[in-house]
Amino acid sequence: MSRERSLRWCGPLLLSALCATGCRQDMHDQPKGEPMEASAFFADGRVARPLVEGVVARGELDLDPHLSTGKVGGKHVETFPFAIDAAALERGRERYGIFCAPCHDAAGLGEGMIVQRGMKRPPSLHIERLRAAPVGYYFDVISNGFGAMYDYADRIRVEDRWKIIAYVRALQLSQNATLGDAPADERARLEAQ
Amino acid sequence: MAQVFHPSTNTLSKVSIFGGVFFVLGALWLVDELNRSPYVTQAGVVRAQPVAFGHKHHVAGLGIDCRYCHTSVEEAAFAGIPSTKTCMTCHSQIWTEAPMLEPVREAFRSDASIAWTRVHDLPDFAYFDHSIHLAKGVGCSTCHGPVDQMPLAWREHSLNMEWCIECHREPERFVRPPSEVFNMDYEPAQPQSELGPALVRELHIKGRTNCSACHR
């Protein structure tokens, strides 16, 4: 009798145990889409959706072509769209190190690690032509690529691109400074060397 | 009528009741241990990938910064997996014939995705955010281990709740200056017992142990 009663409980217990483990997996992998997950719903198999033609993301309305294209009236701009301070330059240095130095190297001579491993050698950023190039030209190169160099538009924010350019300008100054550029007290020390 | 059971069965029944308790406890312990073992958590298990991408080669060998590929790690919850185009910034010129890289070129030509096998994947009911951890000085290597030495990626820690909480209870044992979070060979300049509490004060780090921090 008692044996029979305990057996009667076995079925439901087993069933609820199975249910519990089943639910567990449901909650582990919910039907929502995580970033970059595969999707069975969309034809291209991706959860990430491309923007519909003509959509402008919030806060990204292009009001200032100077800032967002580096061109005004079809010509490359000569000036930065915002004031460059020490913090901006520091940010530019950091971003340059991440995104440009692998090929252009830390000093901009074009002998980075990837070039040593077989990448096409970029020109030095210190050649006359590039020193004379307007800042808008650099913006164009970063945003749209140039020859063998792919564009970085999807990975570097617009503001950061300008900060990188500011840092490139600083590099160009540093590599081409004359004695006359040093402050008076430093100049005396340098001349003594 | 004669006794059915010999008196020794008294002892036997006591022992089996007692043993039963131990057996149940032992089984529970075993399940618990199993749940923490690499067999379940996959810690330390190398994953096969559609392309044998090596962090060792690219990070330690070539010195490429994490953010060149995992672009959104500082600003977003999701660290970001590089697009095929990111690979092609270099591989359109380097190793262009290597059969190893054929899936990358094929994906680039056909605009398909490379289906990387996820190495870390929290259950969907747990919320995780990279940006706050980096801002508060938790380095990549604290959670992901020596990624720059991995020929193929594996998961260094269990990612169990226990692991998250261990640090959330005592962040001072793990934090470093935020400028060092990308440094894969970081060693604290002064003893962690002094540096840790100082950083916790300076960065206003709070030990988040309320359930709603992660289960929102």
Side-chain angles (χ1 to χ4, degrees), chain B residues 81-200:
Chain B
I81 292 294
S83 65
T84 314
K85 186 177 145 200
T86 300
C87 307
M88 292 303 280
T89 52
C90 297
H91 288 294
S92 61
Q93 298 259 324
I94 289 171
W95 285 30
T96 48
E97 301 297 322
M100 216 177 168
L101 283 161
E102 184 51 32
V104 178
R105 290 190 295 268
E106 174 54 32
F108 191 66
R109 275 195 300 271
S110 62
D111 193 32
S113 306
I114 304 175
W116 299 108
T117 311
R118 285 202 74 150
V119 179
H120 303 78
D121 196 4
L122 290 179
D124 287 0
F125 54 74
Y127 174 78
F128 179 80
D129 191 322
H130 274 97
S131 61
I132 176 119
H133 289 94
L134 298 192
K136 301 275 180 164
V138 188
C140 309
S141 58
T142 309
C143 294
H144 291 300
V147 176
D148 61 332
Q149 298 304 327
M150 298 181 183
L152 277 174
W154 67 80
R155 171 194 285 198
E156 182 76 2
H157 295 285
S158 67
L159 302 195
N160 280 344
M161 177 165 143
E162 170 182 60
W163 172 70
C164 312
I165 298 285
E166 185 190 355
C167 176
H168 279 212
R169 282 209 182 111
E170 298 175 288
E172 63 275 8
R173 279 172 51 206
F174 302 95
V175 288
R176 51 172 95 171
S179 57
E180 296 293 323
V181 290
F182 293 97
N183 183 350
M184 299 308 284
D185 316 306
Y186 171 77
E187 293 284 341
Q190 64 201 91
Q192 187 69 19
S193 55
E194 295 164 22
L195 182 67
L199 282 168
V200 166

Side-chain angles (χ1 to χ4, degrees), chain A residues 24 27-32 34-37 44 46 91 94-95 97-100 102-103 113-114 117-120 148 150-157 160, chain B residues 35 57 61-69 71 74-75 78 80-83 85-86 88-90 92-95 108 111-113 118 121-125:
Chain A
R24 194 185 135 100
M27 294 307 281
H28 275 231
D29 201 2
Q30 298 161 12
K32 73 179 179 190
E34 289 193 334
M36 294 192 188
E37 215 170 46
D44 66 357
R46 297 173 189 161
R91 172 88 180 166
E94 186 191 74
R95 296 292 122 174
I98 298 167
F99 291 108
C100 315
C103 297
M113 190 52 129
I114 309 303
R117 299 297 171 96
M119 183 81 193
K120 180 177 175 189
Y150 278 36
D151 73 82
Y152 285 77
D154 53 349
R155 275 186 283 161
I156 312 180
R157 283 170 195 280
D160 284 345
Chain B
N35 261 329
H57 225 126
L62 302 169
I64 309 173
D65 193 287
C66 310
R67 290 164 287 183
Y68 189 91
C69 294
T71 320
E74 286 172 301
E75 287 130 28
F78 187 64
I81 292 294
S83 65
K85 186 177 145 200
T86 300
M88 292 303 280
T89 52
C90 297
S92 61
Q93 298 259 324
I94 289 171
W95 285 30
F108 191 66
D111 193 32
S113 306
R118 285 202 74 150
D121 196 4
L122 290 179
D124 287 0
F125 54 74

